[in-house]
């Protein structure tokens, strides 16, 4: 291993890992509320990133309906994914209630393939490097550090911004589950379905909401990652990286900051591998 | 398995009761259909026997998965990685030890089985999707191993090594028209084994573990032993399938369709065909493989008519769309698969005209 590259890897790992942690929250959210392990989360993320890209009018063929700036494009994509989450839960997951685990897992896997196919036919299979970003990707902070190769650690400004946004969203989600009515209802549902039902909570609707919110979280994570790397079909694989982090962080608990920290660790290990090759 | 039989059709002795194939006409049909596949290179267009070969080796892997997932109820997402292990072992044995393919094939099956045992060890402690995660690890570790370790033997970053053509005397099995006979022979053996496993003590123990593992343990089924046996058998089948696939396409490599999506497709074939039935893998595998070609044909037609200039895009995306849709529709409307439909169909004809 090349120790001189380690400080840079750690910094990049922690910054990217923050975003992965946000993504992992979406998987845990669905699992805790409806006990469905969503293998399609990565594909929701990719779909969110591509829809944002489309709303931002980056296709540049002149055929796109809208040329929103990034902020409005993100909001529009969030609304679309929010509704899509409800739809997915109602059409695909509701009929699977009470089915064995294998069927539910395969349902999410089938959905993942379907989304991948639809995205590649609608948006094309090429990488979209022109994903709009508020800050240029090449702007860097330079931090002098004597043990690093060349003595300087480069911190991409955009990556730092993505990290801060992810942190902010994790806190917002935490507050949402603590103080809002629907957040509390979702926590109650995750504790016990029957008790929640008897307390007057509409459990099927909560399942729908958890898919919708998971889609929103996925889209937010997808947009943050797509800003860094461009929108591509391989965005869906980042969730495979988040899975070990989720297992390490634990399913048993409702989404909280812990996952974020474990994800950073995993991501840092990945960066090590990348640098070694 | 309880079989509904027409009145007057009953067994007179033990041999009849144990027979898998009861009627002379069933024997005739079976031999005729095997003969038809075996002689297909002489009368059918190349497409038929090339597809028959592909369906054959895929079917063996799906049969193995059926024993593990269908009968024992352990979700495995690593079947294509075990195929990769089998293919590599067989190719290496033939290349470096100069043994015949027909000795390397059982050795590859055994080797893949041992690899499967390693990944089956967590199955006693972890269940459900935690187990799916453990087998998912196989799907990442094995290709990583082939890409990064022993590059002089395993092909390194290219990810491809050649698998020699099997030879008997001077007869080379160098094209699907000839290779199909090996595939068919192995498929017959694995089918006989799978059917007999499912109706022996072992098969009943597998089903008991699937239905309720605590109750099975109370009845004296050694959970760990039988789960490991299921993993071993599944990996042995995968190893056979991988070796056949490697040698019929002359090469093996982790980049050549042994990835996670292939494992998912195997699971999908199993569900479409029918979990825990011996007929299911046949129906599911044939349907999905033929559907892939169908999606290519539809894709070509569609891109010629309406989405001109996007042929490549359409072709690559129709396959996952078709597969995903078929899988989801089957899970919602017929989770018991095509095999159950076939049972219903047979029952309705058997009782005709009194269908109730």
């Amino acid at each position: 291993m090349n120790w001189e590259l380690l400080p840079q890897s750690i910094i990049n790992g922690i910054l990217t890992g923050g975003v992965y942690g946000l993504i992992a929250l979406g998987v845990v959210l669905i699992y805790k509320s409806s006990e469905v392990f969503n293998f399609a989360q990565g594909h929701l993320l990719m779909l969110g990133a591509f829809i944002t890209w489309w709303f931002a009018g980056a296709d540049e063929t002149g055929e796109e309906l809208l040329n929103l700036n990034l902020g409005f494009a993100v909001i529009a994509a969030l609304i679309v994914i929010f509704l899509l989450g409800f739809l997915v839960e109602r059409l695909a997951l509701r009929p699977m209630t009470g089915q064995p685990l294998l069927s539910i897992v395969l349902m999410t896997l089938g959905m993942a393939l379907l989304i991948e196919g639809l995205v590649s036919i609608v948006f094309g299979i090429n990488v979209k490097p022109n994903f709009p970003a508020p800050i240029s990707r090449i702007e860097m902070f330079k931090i002098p550090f004597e043990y690093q190769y060349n003595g300087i650690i480069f911190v991409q400004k955009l990556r730092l911004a993505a990290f801060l946004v992810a942190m902010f969203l994790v806190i917002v989600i935490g507050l949402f589950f603590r103080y809002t009515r629907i957040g509390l209802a979702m926590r109650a549902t995750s504790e016990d379905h029957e008790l929640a039902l008897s307390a007057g909570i509409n459990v099927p609707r909560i399942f729908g909401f958890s898919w919708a919110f998971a889609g929103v979280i996925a889209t937010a994570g997808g947009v943050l990652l797509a800003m860094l790397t461009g929108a591509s079909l391989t965005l869906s694989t980042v969730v495979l990286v988040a899975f070990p982090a989720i297992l390490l962080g634990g399913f048993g608990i409702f989404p909280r900051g812990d996952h974020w920290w474990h994800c950073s660790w995993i991501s840092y290990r990945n960066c090590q591998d990348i640098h070694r090759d | 398995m309880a079989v509904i039989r027409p009145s007057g059709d009953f067994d007179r002795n033990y041999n009849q009761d144990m027979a898998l194939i009861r009627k002379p006409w069933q024997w005739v049909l079976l031999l005729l259909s095997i003969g038809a596949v075996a002689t297909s290179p002489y009368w059918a267009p190349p497409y038929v026997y090339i597809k028959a070969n592909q369906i054959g080796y895929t079917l063996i892997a799906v049969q193995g998965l059926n024993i593990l997932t269908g009968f024992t109820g352990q979700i495995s997402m690593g079947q294509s990685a075990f195929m990769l292990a089998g293919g590599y072992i067989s190719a290496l044995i033939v290349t470096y030890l100069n043994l015949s393919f027909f000795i390397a094939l059982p050795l590859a099956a055994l080797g893949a089985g041992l690899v499967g045992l390693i990944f089956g060890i967590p199955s006693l402690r972890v269940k459900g999707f935690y187990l799916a995660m453990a087998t998912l690890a196989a799907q990442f570790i094995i290709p990583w191993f082939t890409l990064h370790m022993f590059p002089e033997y395993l092909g390194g970053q290219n990810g491809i090594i050649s698998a020699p053509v099997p030879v008997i005397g001077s007869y080379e099995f160098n094209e699907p028209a000839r290779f199909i006979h090996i595939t068919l022979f192995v498929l017959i053996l694995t089918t006989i084994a799978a059917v007999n496993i499912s109706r022996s003590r072992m098969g009943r123990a597998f089903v008991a573990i699937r239905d309720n593992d605590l109750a099975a343990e109370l009845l004296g089924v050694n959970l760990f032993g039988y789960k490991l046996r299921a993993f071993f058998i599944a990996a042995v089948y995968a190893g056979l399938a991988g070796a056949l696939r490697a040698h019929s396409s002359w090469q093996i490599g982790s980049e050549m369709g042994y990835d996670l999506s292939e494992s998912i497709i195997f699971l999908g074939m199993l569900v479409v065909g029918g979990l825990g039935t011996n007929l299911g893998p046949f129906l599911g595998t044939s349907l999905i493989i033929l559907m892939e070609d169908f999606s290519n044909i539809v894709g070509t037609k569609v891109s010629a008519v309406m989405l001109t200039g996007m042929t490549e895009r359409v072709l690559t995306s129709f396959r996952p769309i078709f597969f995903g849709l078929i899988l989801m529709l089957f899970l919602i409307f017929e989770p018991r698969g095509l095999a159950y439909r076939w049972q219903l169909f047979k029952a309705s004809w058997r009782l005709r005209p009194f269908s109730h």
Side-chain angles (χ1 to χ4, degrees), chain B residues 43 66 83 97 181 210 282:
Chain B
W43 55 264
N66 187 29
M83 267 179 86
L97 301 181
H181 297 121
R210 175 190 68 191
F282 284 85

Side-chain angles (χ1 to χ4, degrees), chain A residues 31 101 106 113 117 120-121 124 251, chain B residues 128-130 271 313 317-318 323:
Chain A
Y31 177 70
L101 177 78
L106 276 175
L113 285 171
S120 61
I121 202 169
F251 269 124
Chain B
F129 56 70
Y130 287 90
V271 165
R313 199 193 268 197
S317 55
F318 263 41
F323 177 71

Side-chain angles (χ1 to χ4, degrees), chain B residues 78-95:
Chain B
Q79 193 72 352
S80 72
F82 298 139
M83 267 179 86
L84 187 67
Y88 262 108
I89 291 170
S90 163
L92 290 175
I93 287 176
V94 176
T95 311

Side-chain angles (χ1 to χ4, degrees), chain A residues 5 15 17 42 45 88 126 136 187 225 232 241 246:
Chain A
L5 294 174
L15 294 185
L45 180 152
V88 161
N126 309 324
S136 165
R187 270 169 67 195
L225 284 181
S232 70
V241 179
I246 296 164

Side-chain angles (χ1 to χ4, degrees), chain B residues 333-354:
Chain B
F333 294 110
E334 187 51 279
R336 280 170 291 193
L338 286 171
Y340 179 71
R341 280 282 142 192
W342 174 241
Q343 289 280 336
L344 291 182
F345 177 76
K346 277 200 301 188
S348 72
W349 273 94
R350 191 174 286 126
L351 302 174
R352 225 177 95 88
F354 308 109

Side-chain angles (χ1 to χ4, degrees), chain B residues 74 120-134 227:
Chain B
Q74 313 292 308
I121 288 172
S123 65
L124 181 67
R125 294 277 171 235
V126 296
K127 282 183 200 161
F129 56 70
Y130 287 90
L131 182 63
M133 282 292 144
K227 280 182 181 175

Side-chain angles (χ1 to χ4, degrees), chain A residues 100-227:
Chain A
L101 177 78
L102 176 70
S103 307
I104 296 173
V105 165
L106 276 175
M107 177 55 93
T108 62
L109 287 172
M111 204 157 64
L113 285 171
L114 185 65
I115 293 175
E116 182 169 334
L118 289 176
V119 166
S120 61
I121 202 169
V122 175
F123 299 108
I125 47 181
N126 309 324
V127 183
K128 317 291 182 209
N130 61 343
F131 195 89
I135 315 171
S136 165
R137 266 170 225 158
I138 49 171
E139 278 186 49
M140 304 273 185
F141 287 118
K142 297 187 178 81
I143 304 171
F145 188 73
E146 59 176 311
Y147 299 110
Q148 169 68 24
Y149 181 72
N150 279 346
I152 299 170
I153 298 177
F154 291 97
V155 180
Q156 223 175 335
K157 280 185 186 170
L158 190 61
R159 200 180 286 269
L160 185 66
F163 172 78
L164 292 176
V165 171
M167 286 284 289
F168 174 72
L169 287 177
V170 169
I171 293 168
V172 167
I173 292 165
L175 294 176
F176 171 79
F177 284 121
R178 199 176 167 86
Y179 292 112
T180 62
R181 190 175 177 79
I182 191 148
L184 286 171
M186 285 168 86
R187 270 169 67 195
T189 309
S190 82
E191 292 286 328
D192 193 309
H193 293 176
E194 285 177 20
L195 276 180
L197 206 56
S198 67
I201 293 167
N202 186 348
V203 171
R205 214 184 65 184
I206 292 297
F207 288 174
F209 266 113
S210 64
W211 273 87
F213 281 122
V216 165
I217 294 172
T219 305
V223 169
L224 292 178
L225 284 181
M227 277 180 200

